[in-house]
Amino acid sequence: MKKILGTTLTLLGLAVFGQAKEDSIQFAKISTEILNKGKAYNELRELTKNIGHRLSGSASYEKAVTWAEQKLRDAGADKVWLQEVMVPVWVRGKESLHIKTSNGKWKSLKMLSLGNSEGTGGKDISGEIIMVRSMEEYDKLSPEQVKDKIVFFNYPFSQTYIETFRGYGDAAKYRSTAASLTAKKGGKFAIIRSLSSAFDDVPHTGSMRYQDDKKIPAVAVGSTTADELAELLKSQKITAKLNSNCGMKGEKLSHSVIGEITGKKDKSVIVVGGHLDSWDVGEGAHDDGSGIVQSIEVLRTFKNLGIQNNHTIRVVCFANEENGVKGGVMYGKTVKENNEKHLFAIETDAGGFTPREISLDMDNEKRKQIQSWADLFLPYGVYDFKNTYSGTDLYPLHDLGIPTAELVPDSQRYFDIHHTEEDTFEKVNRRELLLGASTLTQIIYMIDKNW
């Protein structure tokens, strides 16, 4: 009996070793194919240079829809379609911010209105600036102290966190709530220090939201301007003057773009995707043009290598992630209504830098199974599987009980350029971008084979 058991365990060990070797060989084929023949970098150049930034509801976003539809067909998708989505239309328009010291002249400051903010209707709004360094400090101010003032929330992006997304998450509440908090105490508009890990004067935009019907403007300034403003306020009163034409212009019909290769075994779906929209500054290269072209590369690689996928592999180019998540919500709603079985979904929306991690938002059993594949990924620089979050567009799928994940690249440079005019094609490295596409293809291959 002992001999039989020993023989069985030996055979089992050989089988596991053989499977690992087979997977290792396939990983190498995927990496070699993408690093040598991948088209993602050239496609990113097309998207960013020929179309540029792609705010939902804009003419440039609609051009991106047509572009993505064609690229999915070119990559070998069996089926490509557009999913209707009603998206908000926010327009920036002309904007300016000036300050004046007690004895000085008006001085222009670099700034950006926050996304979804209402403006001044093209009129000047001015008042004295008061500064707070934290939410707790603001809470101590009375309505009388805030009334008719401009509140400057000078909360710095924490340099302490090694995972810079933690610093971003820590500071993000100031961007999202500054306007409503200021309005509740009678302030005229809000200024925030940009959510930036860089020490420069580049302002960062990003989404904010109103908590009630009183809608006042909110703008962001770069780190250098924030520091200079803070220094001036130590010794004198400063008046700020804002003129902006931004605001919501209703909604319009738009689309997410979806393409897939049908499974040979069944029609259960594995999703890989990113968001096609971007903010209206820069070129949306890292956020999230990189994710779009990486996702398309996954589909192309399966076709080029002749990998016979068991399940349907679907690329979703989500609409409106930046200022509404309407594309992600609509996709999740459709999955639920159609009772469409999804095995797994991964988003790439953290930049096109070198991949280091796959974050796993799923039950422990499935997480441990994926973690058991870690040795396969290690030669490609991907070593971390401990985090448990996934992309914003995938939250509706996660709420349906579908295992979701996020590709996490090295984040040290991401928040230097995030939501700024600096997010351009030139900031993306070809090898880093293609390594991310390779990691996505490898994890999709393992899920398709084993689930």
Side-chain angles (χ1 to χ4, degrees):
M1 182 66 182
K2 290 181 180 179
K3 185 176 181 180
I4 293 172
L5 180 59
T7 301
T8 300
L9 291 174
T10 300
L11 291 172
L12 181 60
L14 288 171
V16 171
F17 175 77
Q19 179 180 331
K21 184 178 180 180
E22 177 186 322
D23 292 335
S24 180
I25 292 171
Q26 189 63 269
F27 270 42
K29 288 181 179 178
I30 288 168
S31 177
T32 298
E33 169 71 19
I34 292 176
L35 289 176
N36 285 282
K37 300 179 182 179
K39 295 183 179 180
Y41 189 66
N42 290 335
E43 290 184 346
L44 182 63
R45 181 189 286 110
E46 290 180 24
L47 179 62
T48 55
K49 296 305 180 184
N50 295 347
I51 298 175
H53 52 69
R54 308 165 299 279
L55 185 63
S56 290
S58 68
S60 57
Y61 180 80
E62 297 309 317
K63 291 179 182 178
V65 168
T66 301
W67 175 91
E69 184 179 10
Q70 185 59 51
K71 291 303 174 184
L72 283 165
R73 295 188 193 281
D74 293 345
D78 303 333
K79 181 181 178 183
V80 179
W81 70 99
L82 305 182
Q83 184 170 78
E84 292 187 349
V85 184
M86 292 299 296
V87 302
V89 179
W90 182 77
V91 176
R92 181 177 300 279
K94 293 182 179 180
E95 55 188 12
S96 64
L97 177 65
H98 293 78
I99 60 167
K100 183 172 68 172
T101 59
S102 300
N103 301 313
K105 297 180 180 179
W106 287 107
K107 175 185 176 182
S108 177
L109 301 184
K110 290 186 68 175
M111 52 77 72
L112 284 174
S113 292
L114 297 181
N116 295 350
S117 173
E118 292 298 323
T120 68
K123 300 177 181 179
D124 290 342
I125 294 180
S126 61
E128 180 187 344
I129 298 177
I130 57 174
M131 183 182 74
V132 294
R133 296 187 180 275
S134 68
M135 204 72 77
E136 292 74 19
E137 191 174 321
Y138 179 75
D139 289 342
K140 293 177 182 178
L141 296 178
S142 67
E144 289 73 22
Q145 291 173 295
V146 177
K147 184 175 174 57
D148 294 329
K149 301 293 197 306
I150 286 83
V151 181
F152 170 36
F153 290 86
N154 188 24
Y155 185 83
F157 187 107
S158 176
Q159 301 294 326
T160 301
Y161 299 113
I162 303 304
E163 296 179 4
T164 60
F165 276 88
R166 295 181 65 188
Y168 177 72
D170 173 61
K173 60 181 176 287
Y174 291 89
R175 189 183 70 199
S176 61
T177 64
S180 288
L181 290 174
T182 301
K184 284 181 180 178
K185 293 184 180 181
K188 289 185 174 181
F189 65 89
I191 302 171
I192 70 161
R193 185 189 186 104
S194 286
L195 277 59
S196 174
S197 52
F199 292 84
D200 58 25
D201 202 29
V202 178
H204 295 230
T205 190
S207 188
M208 52 82 70
R209 63 178 182 271
Y210 291 109
Q211 299 173 349
D212 50 43
D213 293 333
K214 192 172 183 181
K215 298 178 179 180
I216 65 171
V219 305
V221 296
S223 300
T224 301
T225 290
D227 288 339
E228 292 174 352
L229 195 53
E231 189 63 28
L232 288 171
L233 286 166
K234 289 180 180 179
S235 59
Q236 58 191 298
K237 291 184 178 181
I238 297 179
T239 300
K241 177 174 66 179
L242 176 67
N243 189 305
S244 63
N245 290 276
C246 64
M248 284 291 184
K249 307 297 180 183
E251 291 186 324
K252 69 173 291 186
L253 179 65
S254 191
H255 300 87
S256 296
V257 186
I258 305 172
E260 66 184 29
I261 48 178
T262 307
K264 304 301 184 290
K265 176 183 174 182
D266 60 42
K267 293 184 180 180
S268 299
V269 177
I270 299 170
V271 165
V272 57
H275 63 86
L276 188 56
D277 63 310
S278 75
W279 280 110
D280 61 327
V281 291
E283 295 172 350
H286 278 289
D287 187 20
D288 185 29
S290 293
I292 291 297
V293 298
Q294 286 174 332
S295 298
I296 295 172
E297 196 74 64
V298 173
L299 192 152
R300 180 185 296 112
T301 304
F302 266 76
K303 297 293 286 190
N304 287 352
L305 291 179
I307 301 173
Q308 299 297 304
N309 49 299
N310 294 316
H311 313 290
T312 293
I313 297 173
R314 180 178 294 170
V315 175
V316 183
C317 305
F318 292 99
N320 186 235
E321 188 272 350
E322 291 292 7
N323 68 326
V325 201
K326 296 298 180 69
V329 171
M330 178 56 72
Y331 185 80
K333 179 182 178 182
T334 302
V335 169
K336 183 177 181 180
E337 289 176 349
N338 294 342
N339 196 28
E340 189 175 42
K341 184 178 180 181
H342 277 50
L343 297 178
F344 176 82
I346 185 167
E347 186 169 18
T348 166
D349 180 22
F353 300 104
T354 305
R356 296 299 184 208
E357 175 186 357
I358 299 174
S359 179
L360 306 170
D361 197 2
M362 58 194 66
D363 65 50
N364 284 331
E365 183 178 344
K366 286 185 169 58
R367 183 179 298 112
K368 287 178 179 178
Q369 183 183 12
I370 293 175
Q371 289 170 340
S372 73
W373 305 333
D375 286 347
L376 291 167
F377 288 94
L378 191 56
Y380 303 92
V382 178
Y383 58 86
D384 197 346
F385 297 84
K386 72 176 184 301
N387 280 310
T388 57
Y389 60 84
S390 55
T392 302
D393 283 312
L394 301 186
Y395 289 161
L397 295 182
H398 182 264
D399 290 343
L400 295 176
I402 297 164
T404 56
E406 174 88 0
L407 178 69
V408 185
D410 185 312
S411 68
Q412 302 311 315
R413 292 168 285 165
Y414 186 53
F415 291 107
D416 289 5
I417 62 176
H418 182 249
H419 294 174
T420 74
E421 62 186 14
E422 299 291 314
D423 185 9
T424 62
F425 173 75
E426 288 76 15
K427 299 296 194 301
V428 180
N429 175 273
R430 179 185 181 277
R431 283 187 62 84
E432 290 183 314
L433 179 74
L434 294 178
L435 283 169
S438 177
T439 300
L440 286 168
T441 308
Q442 289 163 342
I443 188 65
I444 296 294
Y445 162 77
M446 291 298 289
I447 297 295
D448 181 66
K449 178 181 176 180
N450 293 283
W451 285 18

